[in-house]
Amino acid sequence: MNERFDPAQADTRWQAAWDEAQCFKADDSSAKPRSYVLEMFPYPSGRIHIGHVRNYTMGDVLARYKRMKGFEVLHPMGWDAFGMPAENAAMEKGVHPGGWTRENITNMKAQLKRLGFALDWSRELATCEPEYYGQEQSLFLDLYEAGLVYRKESAVNWDPVDQTVLANEQVIDGRGWRSGALVEKRKLSQWFLKITDFAEELLEGLSTLDKWPEKVRTMQENWIGKSQGLQFAFTLSNGETLEVYSTRPDTIFGASFVAVAADHPIAQGVAAGSQEVQDFIALCKQGGTTAAELETAEKLGFDTGITAKHPFTGADLPVYIANFVLMDYGTGAVMAVPGHDQRDFEFATKYDLPILRVVAANAEDADKPFAGEAEAGDGICVNSDFLNGMSVAEAKAAIIARAESGGWGEGKTVWRLRDWGVSRQRYWGTPIPFIHCEVCGVVPVPKKQLPVTLPEDVDFATPGNPLARHATWKHVDCPQCGKPARRETDTLDTFVDSSWYFLRFASQPDDKPFDPAQIREWLPVEQYIGGIEHAILHLLYARFWTRALARIGKIEVKEPFGSLFTQGMVTHEVYSREEDGRPVYFGPSEIERTADGATLKEDGQPVTVGKVIKMSKSKKNVVDPDEIVATYGADAIRWFMLSDSPPERDLPWSEAGIEGCARFVQRLWRLFGQHDAAAEGEDKAVDRKAHQTVAAVAEDVESLGFNKAVARIYELTGVIEKAAPSASRSAAIRTLLLLVSPMMPHLAEEAYATFGEGLVANAAWPEVDPALLVEDEVTIAVQVKGKLRDTLTVAKGTAREELEALALASEKVQRALDGAEVRKVIVVPDRLVNLVA
RNA sequence: GCGGGCGUGGCGGAAUGGUAGACGCCGGGGACUUAAAAUCCCCUGAGCUUUGCUCGUGCGGGUUCGAGUCCCGCCGCCCGCACCA
């Protein structure tokens, strides 16, 4: 063997060998148990970044490990290839989105290959290819037939920069999630998916996802936002009625005013005759929507002069227009109970409205004053006529029953979740397969005419939708009546593309989206790995799409991802200098890092070492995976991605760290070179350590505790290095090689080749001898009054009495006792002895 | 404001209620070398009167023979959500 491992030549050689042997091709007809390991597929931006490397390395280690454990593993890769950046590139550089995207895919695929991932490239897919999006159109038509797709005129979130419609989820603090531009409201005819039909199911389903992070489940639960309450109508003094919704109908006797949103019809009606009201409404709409602004925003109201009659007391409650009431939730109007709702409390305080107590800890507290804030908690009803004495829950049920029997209201469940608007006025997306005919209306494209492909000749010189202004593309004959008609020019939200790609990976026939039999074999995905930023959007849509396909009988599985893991970001220090009052940033490659600071290589002068934050181009604190691979090899960067930080937390990148990893690669190489099949002799300690490590690393990998697995591998390496040559030592070297092979596959292959046993990629995970997991000697802690004073090395299973005697015999213990009488002795066998004096 | 998470050496982090700081990085010392690189060995929480002792897991209490771990109350940081009736 060579003295040094040379990744530059070994990496590509083994990557070619795996391709040649088709090692990672998943066999659909395999008799082995299945394991589907999936990482979120990337957008083909052109270059992979270090976050991809971390994500895919984790998945790769798990996939390779599962293969070694005897599973038929599906570990595929593809491209989330539609979307805005390709059109931006077209506008900026004059390149075609298709050409730009496909070139990026070629580059990024080469980059992924250089990292040696065990992927089944035969199943590679790109959502921008007609083979994929044509099948998506077919599924879309199926959902349409099932009544889960519809069109409606709706006010949409219009992004003036991207010139497109955004879903609610894509609007963050009133700004487009991609462009950051302030979103406007516009009325457009839009395509929708009936995700609200699945609200209950999607909520219920969360409870079955016990291998998902609690945090993600909570976020989805909040997003779906189920609430139960009473909807009822007030009769107004002007003769109209006003529907309100309340989740606290038990507090109805505490209502002291009614509030409507600024854009509620009542408000609009009052505004028609009053400039003052119009000004107030304008003021309400002006308010910011960021968290900080909302928190400090003052409650503002305008008395309309109208009153509402209380259904029980008959009191006339003033109707206010209030800035804290939202038009798009519930009915856009609320009954305000200041005593038991903080917003109402603040409002009532400001406008000097009555604050009544209708819930108290007990009946004696019925007239207890409020301590400057509303009491939203549980208790019993007071000052509430027939509800008095009931708990909040009882009173809710009672009032709803009363309203329903009286016919003036009904119990109602309100959801925060809205239907999913999927229309995008863009070119680079899946064409929505419909035709608009003046005679027949909206007509689906017949399935045999699919795919509806995108035209190639498009211009991006002006903003707006290139499909809509294309000279010929949209002109077609109506499939029903044959008269001239017009194609739908909207394309689908790219989140639709990523809502079923995991099904297409499992099965990709030419003539249909997938084969249900294969879906049954592979799904659900055993382990899904990706970024937390997809906690709501992608993951909720994929769950919905899967359930929708299940409902119409296309598949059986209801939850696509059995276990979900969200990995942390890769971070790095920021280097900067102040120049002309603003910071100038430098990349890590321009910097010389010293013990207590950093200097710029170019001039040798110091730079400021800033915080460790997420890598971003604007701060220049990025490293290029390709450069790292070229310098240190694929195995070193893979090892770094797994080391030190727990995978769910952020991983701070450092140049010293990657060098340490590269050193360890060489250290292992030297150790592997010491493998000697002819060595003789047993070394029980080495045997034991090796077997314990196999068991522990298996456990760590299965729970994705890669940092712990790495630490154990270091330990075993240290033990073997120090051991004298023996058959045990050689066996341990071989074991170590197998353990690191999922993590450092190139190094492992290069060394394994000298054993003449074929590819380590096809090797089995080492068997564990349970007898060797148990130590026969243990170290016992001896404490005096809970403080460690000595340790004893004894045979495992030494009797309590003997341990106590040995402990008392210790000189150190006697000194610590200092003649005091031992009053109590606690013995935990094989663990410790505690002498209490 | 609500929900969730986290606070352990210079740094990343280990620790079924049972020897705190595994493992790695940084740093220091030494060996090898003409020299360097590479490699190997040793040290590396703080303090002290250094065969050893004391303190030490954000702060203050508590439970326990024994608490980083459990309970109560604070402080700080991070993430998510948010005038959702």
Side-chain angles (χ1 to χ4, degrees), chain A residues 268-565:
Chain A
Q268 299 294 329
V270 178
S274 162
Q275 184 60 45
E276 205 186 343
V277 179
Q278 285 172 28
D279 291 346
F280 177 75
I281 289 173
L283 182 69
C284 288
K285 290 189 172 173
Q286 220 176 62
T289 51
T290 66
E293 284 170 316
L294 285 176
E295 211 168 311
T296 53
E298 196 181 354
K299 303 280 175 289
L300 293 174
F302 191 94
D303 191 346
T304 60
I306 300 169
T307 59
K309 193 160 284 294
H310 192 288
F312 292 108
T313 67
D316 289 321
L317 307 178
V319 176
Y320 278 82
I321 302 166
N323 65 343
F324 68 89
V325 180
L326 304 173
M327 190 58 221
D328 58 357
Y329 188 82
T331 62
V334 299
M335 76 169 195
V337 184
H340 306 284
D341 181 285
Q342 185 57 27
R343 293 156 303 177
D344 299 348
F345 188 95
E346 286 169 31
F347 192 93
T349 305
K350 182 172 167 76
Y351 293 101
D352 206 19
L353 294 157
I355 301 174
L356 312 170
R357 174 179 290 281
V358 288
V359 177
N362 52 63
E364 289 73 52
D365 286 347
D367 296 310
K368 193 180 168 189
F370 290 95
E373 57 181 9
E375 291 177 19
D378 206 357
I380 60 159
C381 293
V382 294
N383 306 320
S384 295
D385 196 348
F386 64 95
L387 297 177
N388 284 341
M390 291 187 193
S391 71
V392 165
E394 287 164 350
K396 274 185 195 175
I399 199 83
I400 289 170
R402 184 82 155 235
E404 287 180 348
S405 66
W408 51 272
E410 59 174 348
K412 201 174 168 184
T413 302
V414 170
W415 304 87
R416 186 179 174 278
L417 185 70
R418 295 297 139 86
D419 273 341
W420 176 14
V422 293
S423 285
R424 297 292 179 272
Q425 289 66 45
R426 303 299 340 159
Y427 165 74
W428 195 233
T430 301
I432 296 177
F434 281 88
I435 290 164
H436 301 275
C437 170
E438 281 189 17
V439 181
C440 311
V442 178
V443 182
V445 173
K447 278 202 176 177
K448 55 179 177 294
Q449 288 178 24
L450 295 182
V452 176
T453 55
L454 291 165
E456 284 291 313
D457 54 328
V458 275
D459 90 274
F460 292 91
T462 44
N465 185 356
L467 278 183
R469 62 170 179 265
H470 190 275
T472 56
W473 185 77
K474 67 182 168 191
H475 301 295
V476 287
D477 293 338
C478 172
Q480 263 173 39
C481 67
K483 294 206 174 74
R486 182 176 62 77
R487 272 193 200 289
E488 172 63 63
T489 57
D490 284 355
T491 50
L492 289 172
D493 181 3
T494 56
F495 278 111
V496 175
D497 307 333
S498 53
S499 289
W500 71 286
Y501 77 106
F502 42 89
L503 300 175
R504 184 74 181 167
F505 274 145
S507 163
Q508 40 192 278
D510 293 335
D511 58 340
K512 52 187 172 185
F514 42 74
D515 176 355
Q518 285 307 325
I519 301 300
R520 202 179 303 125
E521 289 289 338
W522 289 114
L523 273 282
V525 172
E526 182 177 352
Q527 182 65 60
Y528 196 35
I529 308 175
I532 186 72
E533 65 273 20
H534 292 112
I536 297 173
L537 309 183
H538 162 58
L539 289 166
L540 188 64
Y541 291 150
R543 292 182 61 219
F544 155 64
W545 198 264
T546 303
R547 279 176 185 271
L549 292 179
R551 186 181 287 184
I552 65 175
K554 294 274 168 191
I555 53 177
E556 289 154 48
V557 64
K558 287 194 172 152
E559 288 291 344
F561 313 122
S563 179
L564 173 71
F565 188 85

Side-chain angles (χ1 to χ4, degrees), chain A residues 20-35:
Chain A
E20 176 80 10
Q22 301 201 345
C23 287
F24 310 121
K25 196 165 181 208
D27 179 2
D28 284 327
S29 56
S30 172
K32 294 180 193 172
R34 311 294 177 104
S35 177

Side-chain angles (χ1 to χ4, degrees), chain A residues 156-179:
Chain A
V156 296
N157 303 306
W158 179 260
D159 184 322
V161 170
D162 281 351
Q163 298 246 322
T164 190
V165 169
L166 300 174
N168 284 335
E169 297 88 315
Q170 293 161 358
V171 180
I172 296 149
D173 292 337
R175 291 172 181 275
W177 73 294
R178 205 191 285 276
S179 72

Side-chain angles (χ1 to χ4, degrees), chain A residues 1 16 102 124 127 147 249 255 257 295 297 377 386 435 457 468 500 593 611 632 670 672 753 756 768 771 777 792 804:
Chain A
M1 279 168 93
R102 290 183 188 103
E124 177 184 6
T127 57
F257 65 100
E295 211 168 311
F386 64 95
I435 290 164
D457 54 328
W500 71 286
R593 195 73 173 84
K611 277 204 276 190
Y632 301 100
R670 287 189 297 275
F672 292 159
V768 174
E777 271 190 344
L792 302 171
E804 188 179 333

Side-chain angles (χ1 to χ4, degrees), chain A residues 721-739:
Chain A
E721 281 173 339
K722 287 182 179 64
S726 66
S728 296
R729 185 174 188 271
S730 275
I733 290 173
R734 188 173 178 285
T735 297
L736 177 62
L737 190 159
L738 292 169
L739 294 192

